[in-house]
Amino acid sequence: MPSSCQEIRQELIECMLKSNCVLVKRNTVAECFKQEHKDDVPDECQSIRKSYADCRRGMLDPRMRFRGN
């Protein structure tokens, strides 16, 4: 995996592991990303997830490769 997205990915994993969706309701991180568990995930984790998606999209977009993430 590209190293520029690795830090955001690790931050997202740590945030999700601390959320009520994982700790209290005992769902996996993958299950917490589904639409029906959206209310159990804090806004902070959702914003980190969006940043991670933007980072990954930037790695594939040829225009972004010249400008950087």
Side-chain angles (χ1 to χ4, degrees):
M1 177 174 293
S3 61
S4 63
C5 297
Q6 186 66 32
E7 293 176 8
I8 298 173
R9 180 179 182 266
Q10 190 62 35
E11 187 177 348
L12 176 61
I13 291 170
E14 290 172 4
C15 183
M16 290 301 292
L17 290 176
K18 295 176 187 174
S19 71
N20 284 341
C21 185
V22 174
L23 291 177
V24 176
K25 298 197 175 182
R26 298 290 196 200
N27 296 317
T28 64
V29 174
E31 290 172 345
C32 290
F33 283 135
K34 294 181 181 175
Q35 191 67 26
E36 59 264 10
H37 299 292
K38 185 178 180 182
D39 296 334
D40 299 329
V41 178
D43 292 335
E44 177 187 357
C45 294
Q46 292 177 0
S47 66
I48 295 171
R49 182 179 181 201
K50 183 176 180 341
S51 297
Y52 179 65
D54 290 341
C55 181
R56 295 287 298 176
R57 189 176 305 116
M59 298 303 290
L60 297 174
D61 188 4
R63 294 173 294 172
M64 292 295 288
R65 285 190 285 177
F66 294 112
R67 289 183 273 177
N69 284 331

